[in-house]
Amino acid sequence: PRSGNSQFIPGDIVEMAMAPGREEEVQTTWMDPLVLGVDCARFGDDQTVLCPRRGRDARSIPWRKFRGKDTMQIAALIAEMHNAMKFDAIFIDEGGLGAGVVDRCRMLRLPIVPVQFGTSPDLALDTSEGAVAYVNKGAEMWGRMRDWLKGGLLPKDVDLEQALTGREYGYVMRDGRDVIQLEKKSDMKKRGLASPDEADALCLTFAYPVQPSDHRSNLGKGQQGRHQVEYNPLASAYNQAQAPTSGPKPPRSYMPHSNR
């Protein structure tokens, strides 16, 4: 079958998002929010994953994966990516090792947003399947990610595909209604599956809404962004004050430099 009864994300929508030539079908603009999801890990089989996403596109900018990095090294890698990409927001899993990464990134004045998977969800989601409620923030982010996948773009990655499709779910009662609860990572490992690090990094990019901004200057391969303009607020006033009413113009050495 295409998916099991308890499989949270069906395999067919993941295959569609990873399909070659999918770029022609996915709509993206320079104004789409550019965000980074960071799932932190250090020891064992788990890995740190940095997932960039711009609107519907999570393929064009390469993901980065590491093992055995400490908090300072992970923060430095995040800062390196931000200096190149200028993210609108960086969502970091604050649990465990992530708390140290968050502290260091704050010192570096990066636009970070700490996220706790176990906190309460913000709201019930109106998805393509109707109103859906989740037991915690982590399940809510996975729900947003699942709905996004139907029109999203992903890199072809076997580990990412398994991380997205391997997790199961069930229902529990909260406030008199059924809400979705995802399978614990420890239970996934008991079934012989790896920790869904890649999927967690992607779902973090859906933690909170982000204000859009123009990214042509840092992603447009030389195209000038709307916010990059030639502007010198004092040049006009200086020219009017210095320009004589008649006679020769002043030497060029006295003219203010253009602020490029």
Side-chain angles (χ1 to χ4, degrees), residues 23 45 47 62 81 84 88 127 135 159 186 189 217 220 226 258:
E23 296 89 346
D45 297 330
Q47 58 184 338
M81 285 194 71
D88 296 310
T127 69
V135 69
D159 293 336
S186 58
K189 291 185 177 182
S217 59
R226 187 184 67 181
S258 176

Side-chain angles (χ1 to χ4, degrees), residues 47-68:
Q47 58 184 338
T48 296
V49 181
L50 278 61
C51 165
R53 178 178 66 83
R54 182 169 64 89
R56 291 284 180 182
D57 183 7
R59 179 189 294 183
S60 298
I61 304 174
W63 296 33
R64 304 187 70 179
K65 305 178 185 181
F66 308 93
R67 295 185 188 275

Side-chain angles (χ1 to χ4, degrees), residues 144-165:
R144 292 180 185 273
M145 175 176 66
R146 180 179 66 172
D147 212 50
W148 172 89
L149 279 169
K150 298 168 186 177
L153 181 65
L154 289 178
K156 183 61 178 177
D157 186 304
V158 175
D159 293 336
L160 174 59
E161 184 175 5
Q162 293 177 350
L164 289 168
T165 59

Side-chain angles (χ1 to χ4, degrees), residues 165-178:
T165 59
R167 200 164 195 177
E168 298 182 348
Y169 76 103
Y171 289 92
V172 295
M173 186 68 69
R174 289 288 187 277
D175 300 326
R177 63 175 177 174
D178 289 331

Side-chain angles (χ1 to χ4, degrees), residues 13-213:
I13 66 173
V14 176
E15 292 177 5
M16 181 173 60
M18 294 183 175
R22 174 76 167 170
E23 296 89 346
E24 302 298 328
E25 306 174 16
V26 176
Q27 297 292 327
T28 59
T29 72
W30 295 117
M31 294 299 296
D32 288 331
L34 179 61
V35 295
L36 180 69
V38 183
D39 185 62
C40 304
R42 185 171 184 179
F43 301 109
D45 297 330
D46 297 349
Q47 58 184 338
T48 296
V49 181
L50 278 61
C51 165
R53 178 178 66 83
R54 182 169 64 89
R56 291 284 180 182
D57 183 7
R59 179 189 294 183
S60 298
I61 304 174
W63 296 33
R64 304 187 70 179
K65 305 178 185 181
F66 308 93
R67 295 185 188 275
K69 301 290 186 182
D70 61 29
T71 56
M72 299 294 284
Q73 291 172 318
I74 296 172
L77 293 167
I78 295 171
E80 179 185 357
M81 285 194 71
H82 177 68
N83 288 339
M85 299 286 103
K86 300 298 185 291
F87 294 106
D88 296 310
I90 301 172
F91 297 103
I92 304 176
D93 176 13
E94 197 176 16
L97 182 72
V101 177
V102 167
D103 291 342
R104 178 57 180 164
C105 287
R106 279 178 174 151
M107 293 181 64
L108 297 175
R109 300 183 180 278
L110 300 179
I112 65 163
V113 180
V115 181
Q116 291 278 359
F117 277 68
T119 57
S120 299
D122 293 310
L123 70 164
L125 302 180
D126 290 324
T127 69
S128 59
E129 300 176 1
V132 182
Y134 297 94
V135 69
N136 55 27
K137 186 65 179 177
E140 180 186 77
M141 292 188 296
W142 271 70
R144 292 180 185 273
M145 175 176 66
R146 180 179 66 172
D147 212 50
W148 172 89
L149 279 169
K150 298 168 186 177
L153 181 65
L154 289 178
K156 183 61 178 177
D157 186 304
V158 175
D159 293 336
L160 174 59
E161 184 175 5
Q162 293 177 350
L164 289 168
T165 59
R167 200 164 195 177
E168 298 182 348
Y169 76 103
Y171 289 92
V172 295
M173 186 68 69
R174 289 288 187 277
D175 300 326
R177 63 175 177 174
D178 289 331
V179 297
I180 291 177
Q181 177 173 275
L182 296 182
E183 178 184 19
K184 295 180 179 179
K185 294 181 182 181
S186 58
D187 292 333
M188 293 181 65
K189 291 185 177 182
K190 290 178 182 178
R191 295 195 292 118
L193 300 177
S195 176
D197 302 320
E198 294 89 349
D200 279 346
L202 177 60
C203 86
L204 280 163
T205 65
F206 301 95
Y208 301 101
V210 178
Q211 182 72 17
S213 61

